[in-house]
Amino acid sequence: MEKRVVFKGKLLPYLLVAPQIAVTLIFFIWPAAQALKQSVFIEGAFGGNAQFVWLDNFIELFSDPGYLHSARVTVVFSAAVTFFGLAIALLLAVMADRVIRGATVYKTLLIWPYAVAPAVAGVLWGFLFNPTVGNLAYILNKLGYDWNYFVNGGQALVLVIIAACWSQISYNFIFFLAGLQSIPRSLIEAAAIDGAGPGRRFWTIVFPLLSPTTFFLLVVNVVHAFFQTFGIIHAVTQGGPANATEILVFKVYNDGFRGLDLGGSAAQSVVLMIIVIALTVLQFRFIERRVHY
Amino acid sequence: MAGVSIRSVKKSYGEIEVIHGIDCEIADGEFIVILGPSGCGKSTLLRMIAGLEEITAGEIAIDGRVVNDLEPKDRDIAMVFQNYALYPHMTVYDNMAYGLRIRGMSKAEIDMRVKKAAAILELDGLLARKPRQLSGGQRQRVAMGRALVREPSVFLFDEPLSNLDAKLRVQMRIEIRRLHQTLKTTSIYVTHDQVEAMTLADRLIVMNAGRAEQIGSPMEVYARPATTFVAGFIGSPAMNMLPGRLGDDGTVEVAGVRLPVAAPVAGTAGRPVTVGMRPEHIARADQGTRTFDLHVDVVETLGADTLVHGRIGGAGNELIVRLPGSVTTGPGDVVPLAVAPQNLHLFDAETGARL
């Protein structure tokens, strides 16, 4: 049953939504419009003498091997962050769902990493894996593995993936656990009587019933990997070594604020904006269809 | 097909014992109903038979094989759950076929069994639907179908009808009975509904607070309730229970009235007892045959019958009487009543056990 409040006048409802609208306009719409505008201009490095160049910024972008490299890094990075973030969280949630003694403590501890800011998480992992002082790096080197993410691009990418996954696992864990707990116990019991072992029960009953949750998290995690990992990259690798960890959002910052190519950077922002809009549309379309099974 | 033996089965959760030792031999093909109020442990007992709860002490054997340490899937049972527990993402067909596929049955065999069960349960046209597209009664049938196709040696039902409306419940009750008459599979059925229990059961296990108060056929349980609990739980409206005392000449004194007892009871005169009389066993009497008077408070007219609520003797002795619908009476009237000696039930006032 839907509850509807009917206002008599027009003034009050507009007043009530005004703060939200104002915030959206000032902090979202206006900057986005600025980015759109800037993406079709070339501007001098010290500001002023802006020149309207149509879509030249975009054309240049897609013919730039550096940008395409960054796009590939981003795909690898976000696929890895999303996959491992979801898989590990699901594993932990399934185990937490079976824990009886000390369940609250266990769950609380698993949720904590989400409270750590991405940049701090980055510093933390960067420190653990620091080739000179890091504990984990020391162990890796002892094991005969030549670990130095300052010079090895692959290792640097693995490190930022770990750091980005780590905090995201907590977030995914909460949703998976809630999803698991909303599956009626009797369904699992019915499957057990039907002869399905634990593995089979999981893949044929639990996992399909979790699919709306999984899909929601998939989109959220991709968005996270694309956009919210800036802090981690900035704190740990600065996009290096040799641009091996330069994901798109970091390149926006690098090109715009360090390279001072404001037009090119704005064009990159617009591309990211289109990606996130597409993801959002996909999510709403899909979830609306799948939410009631 | 198989019999089920329950031997001094106990269940504890930590320190707290919830089932205090139940014994019952269930014969092959028998329909057993476990009846009791909520929280009496009846579902727990069923779940122990299914293998969904561990057995703390005692033994359960199915077809002569002790199953205490067997997984549910190895016990050759099928269970119908209260909330049906249908797999929401599968079609009706897949719901029924799930267990068979896991057992590696051939496609043709699965198809044959599912079609057969669907025909019995009139689910033919619904096989391609998802559970959410079905009505409550249809879901119930699918849940039964899922148990049927497995052709297990024991069916377990955990309050399967309690989510249905009254009319459907009556209809499904008859269908379950009919199904059992055709298949003759040993069935154990848990319910808190005494009408379901009476109509379905070959034998009843009446449970209260983790104990089996009485095990017997519905008629035995109705005619000779073993305890005051059973007496009050079976029958509607419930049996009248009044405090009384044994007289010295094969009589019992209730509310200042002396009533003859059919079979004399051991015990000295003056021993306190609880006297039970079923509302339907009390009849309107003439002045000559009357044994006591009822001062009428409330009259409920049901058509075929009239339920008369009133008091006898002192203020505390309330009584319900079921009289034919033709009897007209109203609040304030005094109705002369009589009860046959063989219809008096005597229970120990302290233990509640039948005397």
Side-chain angles (χ1 to χ4, degrees), chain A residues 191 194 200 204-205, chain B residues 85-102 107 110-111 114-115 118 123 126-131 134 142 145-147 149-150:
Chain A
D194 267 344
R200 188 145 192 170
T204 56
I205 309 290
Chain B
L86 300 180
Y87 312 127
H89 56 297
M90 296 184 196
T91 61
V92 169
Y93 186 99
D94 290 336
N95 261 285
M96 293 206 266
Y98 183 74
L100 304 181
R101 287 193 184 127
I102 288 174
K107 269 214 166 94
I110 292 175
D111 196 58
V114 171
K115 294 265 164 69
L123 288 168
L126 308 172
L127 288 174
R129 297 221 194 150
K130 293 273 177 72
L134 301 176
V142 177
R146 195 170 59 181
V149 291
R150 296 258 317 277

Coordinates of all heavy atoms in Angstrom, one line a residue, chain A residues 191 194 200 204-205, chain B residues 85-102 107 110-111 114-115 118 123 126-131 134 142 145-147 149-150:
Chain A
A191 N 16.3 -28.9 0.2 CA 17.3 -29.4 -0.8 C 18.2 -30.5 -0.2 O 18.6 -31.4 -0.9 CB 18.2 -28.2 -1.2
D194 N 16.2 -33.5 -0.4 CA 16.2 -33.9 -1.8 C 17.5 -34.6 -2.2 O 17.6 -35.1 -3.4 CB 15.9 -32.7 -2.7 CG 14.4 -32.6 -3.0 OD1 13.7 -33.5 -2.8 OD2 14.0 -31.5 -3.5
R200 N 26.4 -28.5 -3.8 CA 25.3 -28.5 -4.8 C 24.2 -27.6 -4.3 O 23.6 -26.8 -5.1 CB 24.8 -29.9 -4.9 CG 23.8 -30.0 -6.0 CD 23.9 -31.3 -6.7 NE 23.2 -31.3 -7.9 CZ 23.3 -32.3 -8.8 NH1 24.1 -33.3 -8.5 NH2 22.6 -32.3 -9.9
T204 N 23.0 -24.5 -6.7 CA 21.7 -24.6 -7.3 C 20.6 -23.9 -6.6 O 19.6 -23.5 -7.2 CB 21.3 -26.1 -7.4 OG1 21.3 -26.7 -6.1 CG2 22.2 -26.9 -8.4
I205 N 20.8 -23.6 -5.3 CA 19.7 -22.9 -4.6 C 20.2 -21.6 -4.1 O 19.6 -20.5 -4.4 CB 19.3 -23.8 -3.3 CG1 18.9 -25.2 -3.7 CG2 18.1 -23.1 -2.6 CD1 17.7 -25.3 -4.6
Chain B
A85 N 8.5 -24.4 1.1 CA 9.9 -24.4 0.8 C 10.1 -24.8 -0.7 O 11.0 -25.6 -1.0 CB 10.7 -25.4 1.7
L86 N 9.3 -24.2 -1.6 CA 9.5 -24.4 -3.0 C 10.7 -23.6 -3.4 O 10.9 -22.5 -2.9 CB 8.3 -24.1 -3.8 CG 7.0 -24.8 -3.4 CD1 5.9 -24.4 -4.3 CD2 7.3 -26.3 -3.7
Y87 N 11.5 -24.1 -4.4 CA 12.6 -23.3 -4.9 C 12.1 -22.2 -5.8 O 11.5 -22.5 -6.9 CB 13.6 -24.2 -5.7 CG 13.9 -25.5 -4.9 CD1 13.8 -26.7 -5.5 CD2 14.4 -25.4 -3.6 CE1 14.1 -27.9 -4.7 CE2 14.7 -26.5 -2.9 CZ 14.6 -27.8 -3.4 OH 14.9 -28.9 -2.7
P88 N 12.2 -20.9 -5.4 CA 11.4 -19.9 -6.1 C 11.9 -19.6 -7.5 O 11.2 -19.1 -8.3 CB 11.6 -18.6 -5.2 CG 12.8 -19.0 -4.3 CD 12.9 -20.4 -4.2
H89 N 13.2 -20.0 -7.8 CA 13.7 -19.7 -9.1 C 13.5 -20.8 -10.1 O 14.0 -20.8 -11.2 CB 15.2 -19.3 -9.0 CG 16.0 -20.4 -8.3 ND1 15.8 -20.8 -7.0 CD2 17.0 -21.2 -8.8 CE1 16.6 -21.8 -6.7 NE2 17.4 -22.0 -7.7
M90 N 12.8 -21.9 -9.7 CA 12.7 -23.0 -10.6 C 11.2 -23.2 -10.9 O 10.3 -22.8 -10.1 CB 13.1 -24.3 -9.9 CG 14.6 -24.4 -9.6 SD 14.9 -26.0 -8.9 CE 16.5 -25.7 -8.2
T91 N 10.9 -23.8 -12.1 CA 9.5 -24.0 -12.4 C 9.0 -25.2 -11.6 O 9.7 -25.9 -10.9 CB 9.4 -24.4 -13.9 OG1 10.2 -25.6 -14.1 CG2 10.0 -23.4 -14.8
V92 N 7.7 -25.4 -11.7 CA 7.1 -26.5 -10.9 C 7.7 -27.8 -11.3 O 8.0 -28.6 -10.5 CB 5.5 -26.5 -11.2 CG1 4.9 -27.8 -10.7 CG2 4.9 -25.3 -10.6
Y93 N 7.9 -28.0 -12.6 CA 8.5 -29.2 -13.1 C 9.9 -29.4 -12.5 O 10.2 -30.5 -11.9 CB 8.7 -29.1 -14.6 CG 9.1 -30.4 -15.3 CD1 8.2 -31.3 -15.8 CD2 10.5 -30.7 -15.3 CE1 8.7 -32.5 -16.4 CE2 10.9 -31.9 -15.9 CZ 10.0 -32.8 -16.4 OH 10.4 -34.0 -17.0
D94 N 10.7 -28.3 -12.5 CA 12.1 -28.4 -12.0 C 12.1 -28.6 -10.5 O 13.0 -29.3 -9.9 CB 12.9 -27.2 -12.3 CG 13.2 -27.1 -13.8 OD1 13.2 -28.2 -14.4 OD2 13.4 -26.0 -14.3
N95 N 11.1 -28.0 -9.8 CA 11.0 -28.2 -8.4 C 10.8 -29.7 -8.0 O 11.4 -30.2 -7.1 CB 9.8 -27.5 -7.8 CG 10.2 -26.1 -7.2 OD1 10.7 -26.1 -6.1 ND2 10.0 -25.0 -7.9
M96 N 10.0 -30.4 -8.8 CA 9.7 -31.8 -8.6 C 10.9 -32.6 -9.0 O 11.2 -33.7 -8.4 CB 8.4 -32.2 -9.2 CG 7.2 -31.5 -8.6 SD 5.7 -32.4 -8.8 CE 5.0 -31.7 -10.3
A97 N 11.5 -32.2 -10.1 CA 12.6 -33.0 -10.7 C 13.9 -32.9 -10.0 O 14.8 -33.8 -10.1 CB 12.8 -32.7 -12.2
Y98 N 14.0 -31.8 -9.2 CA 15.3 -31.5 -8.5 C 16.0 -32.7 -7.8 O 17.1 -33.1 -8.1 CB 15.1 -30.4 -7.6 CG 16.4 -29.9 -6.9 CD1 17.3 -29.1 -7.6 CD2 16.6 -30.1 -5.6 CE1 18.5 -28.6 -7.0 CE2 17.8 -29.7 -4.9 CZ 18.7 -28.9 -5.6 OH 19.8 -28.5 -5.0
G99 N 15.2 -33.3 -6.9 CA 15.7 -34.4 -6.2 C 16.1 -35.6 -7.0 O 17.0 -36.4 -6.7
L100 N 15.3 -35.8 -8.1 CA 15.5 -37.0 -9.0 C 16.8 -36.8 -9.8 O 17.5 -37.7 -10.0 CB 14.3 -37.2 -9.9 CG 12.9 -37.3 -9.2 CD1 11.8 -37.5 -10.2 CD2 12.9 -38.5 -8.2
R101 N 17.0 -35.6 -10.2 CA 18.2 -35.3 -11.0 C 19.4 -35.5 -10.2 O 20.4 -36.1 -10.6 CB 18.2 -33.8 -11.5 CG 17.2 -33.6 -12.6 CD 17.4 -32.3 -13.3 NE 16.3 -32.1 -14.3 CZ 15.5 -31.1 -14.4 NH1 15.7 -30.1 -13.6 NH2 14.6 -31.0 -15.3
I102 N 19.4 -35.1 -8.9 CA 20.5 -35.3 -8.0 C 20.8 -36.7 -7.9 O 22.0 -37.2 -7.8 CB 20.2 -34.6 -6.7 CG1 20.3 -33.1 -6.9 CG2 21.2 -35.1 -5.6 CD1 19.9 -32.3 -5.6
K107 N 16.5 -39.1 -17.8 CA 15.5 -38.1 -18.2 C 14.1 -38.6 -18.3 O 13.2 -38.1 -17.9 CB 16.0 -37.4 -19.5 CG 16.9 -36.2 -19.2 CD 16.6 -35.2 -20.3 CE 17.2 -33.9 -20.0 NZ 18.6 -33.6 -20.5
I110 N 12.6 -39.5 -15.0 CA 12.2 -38.3 -14.3 C 10.9 -37.8 -14.9 O 9.9 -37.5 -14.2 CB 13.3 -37.2 -14.4 CG1 14.5 -37.7 -13.6 CG2 12.8 -35.9 -13.9 CD1 15.7 -36.7 -13.8
D111 N 10.9 -37.7 -16.2 CA 9.7 -37.1 -16.9 C 8.5 -38.0 -16.5 O 7.4 -37.4 -16.2 CB 10.0 -37.1 -18.4 CG 9.0 -36.2 -19.1 OD1 9.0 -35.0 -18.7 OD2 8.2 -36.7 -19.9
V114 N 7.4 -37.3 -12.8 CA 6.9 -35.9 -12.6 C 5.5 -35.9 -13.2 O 4.5 -35.4 -12.6 CB 7.8 -34.9 -13.2 CG1 7.1 -33.5 -13.1 CG2 9.1 -34.8 -12.4
K115 N 5.3 -36.4 -14.4 CA 4.0 -36.3 -15.1 C 3.0 -37.1 -14.3 O 1.8 -36.7 -14.1 CB 4.1 -36.9 -16.5 CG 5.0 -36.1 -17.4 CD 4.2 -35.1 -18.3 CE 5.1 -34.0 -18.9 NZ 6.0 -34.6 -19.9
A118 N 2.1 -35.1 -11.2 CA 1.3 -34.0 -11.6 C -0.1 -34.4 -11.9 O -1.1 -33.7 -11.6 CB 2.0 -33.3 -12.8
L123 N -1.8 -31.1 -11.4 CA -0.9 -29.9 -11.6 C -0.5 -29.9 -13.1 O 0.4 -29.1 -13.5 CB 0.4 -30.1 -10.8 CG 0.2 -29.9 -9.3 CD1 1.5 -30.3 -8.6 CD2 0.0 -28.4 -9.0
L126 N 0.3 -26.7 -14.9 CA 1.1 -25.7 -14.2 C 2.6 -26.0 -14.2 O 3.3 -25.2 -13.6 CB 0.6 -25.6 -12.8 CG -0.9 -25.4 -12.6 CD1 -1.3 -25.6 -11.1 CD2 -1.3 -24.0 -13.1
L127 N 3.0 -27.0 -14.9 CA 4.4 -27.5 -14.8 C 5.4 -26.4 -15.2 O 6.5 -26.4 -14.7 CB 4.6 -28.8 -15.6 CG 3.9 -30.0 -15.0 CD1 4.0 -31.2 -15.9 CD2 4.5 -30.3 -13.7
A128 N 5.0 -25.5 -16.1 CA 6.0 -24.5 -16.6 C 6.0 -23.3 -15.8 O 6.8 -22.4 -16.0 CB 5.7 -24.2 -18.1
R129 N 5.1 -23.2 -14.8 CA 5.1 -22.0 -14.0 C 6.1 -21.9 -12.9 O 6.6 -22.9 -12.4 CB 3.7 -21.8 -13.3 CG 2.6 -21.7 -14.4 CD 1.6 -20.7 -14.0 NE 0.4 -20.9 -14.8 CZ -0.8 -20.6 -14.3 NH1 -1.0 -20.2 -13.1 NH2 -1.9 -20.8 -15.1
K130 N 6.3 -20.7 -12.4 CA 7.2 -20.5 -11.2 C 6.3 -20.5 -10.0 O 5.1 -20.1 -10.1 CB 7.9 -19.1 -11.3 CG 8.9 -19.1 -12.4 CD 10.3 -19.6 -12.0 CE 11.3 -19.6 -13.1 NZ 11.8 -18.3 -13.5
P131 N 6.8 -20.8 -8.8 CA 6.0 -20.9 -7.6 C 5.2 -19.6 -7.3 O 4.1 -19.6 -6.9 CB 7.0 -21.2 -6.5 CG 8.0 -21.9 -7.2 CD 8.1 -21.4 -8.6
L134 N 1.6 -19.2 -8.5 CA 0.6 -20.2 -8.1 C -0.1 -19.7 -6.9 O 0.4 -18.9 -6.1 CB 1.3 -21.5 -7.7 CG 2.1 -22.2 -8.8 CD1 2.8 -23.4 -8.2 CD2 1.3 -22.6 -10.0
V142 N 2.3 -28.6 -5.1 CA 3.6 -28.8 -5.7 C 4.6 -29.4 -4.6 O 5.4 -30.3 -4.9 CB 4.2 -27.5 -6.2 CG1 5.6 -27.7 -6.7 CG2 3.3 -27.0 -7.3
G145 N 3.9 -32.9 -4.4 CA 4.4 -33.5 -5.6 C 5.8 -33.8 -5.5 O 6.3 -34.8 -5.9
R146 N 6.6 -32.8 -4.9 CA 8.0 -33.0 -4.8 C 8.4 -34.1 -3.9 O 9.3 -34.8 -4.1 CB 8.6 -31.7 -4.2 CG 10.1 -31.6 -4.4 CD 10.6 -30.2 -4.1 NE 10.3 -29.9 -2.7 CZ 10.6 -28.7 -2.1 NH1 11.2 -27.8 -2.8 NH2 10.2 -28.4 -0.9
A147 N 7.5 -34.4 -2.9 CA 7.7 -35.5 -2.0 C 7.3 -36.8 -2.7 O 8.0 -37.8 -2.6 CB 6.9 -35.3 -0.7
V149 N 7.2 -37.7 -6.0 CA 8.0 -38.2 -7.1 C 9.2 -39.0 -6.6 O 9.7 -39.9 -7.2 CB 8.6 -37.1 -8.0 CG1 7.4 -36.5 -8.8 CG2 9.3 -36.1 -7.2
R150 N 9.6 -38.7 -5.4 CA 10.8 -39.4 -4.8 C 10.4 -40.9 -4.4 O 11.3 -41.7 -4.3 CB 11.3 -38.7 -3.6 CG 11.8 -37.3 -3.9 CD 13.3 -37.3 -3.9 NE 13.7 -38.1 -2.8 CZ 13.8 -37.6 -1.5 NH1 13.6 -36.4 -1.3 NH2 14.2 -38.4 -0.5

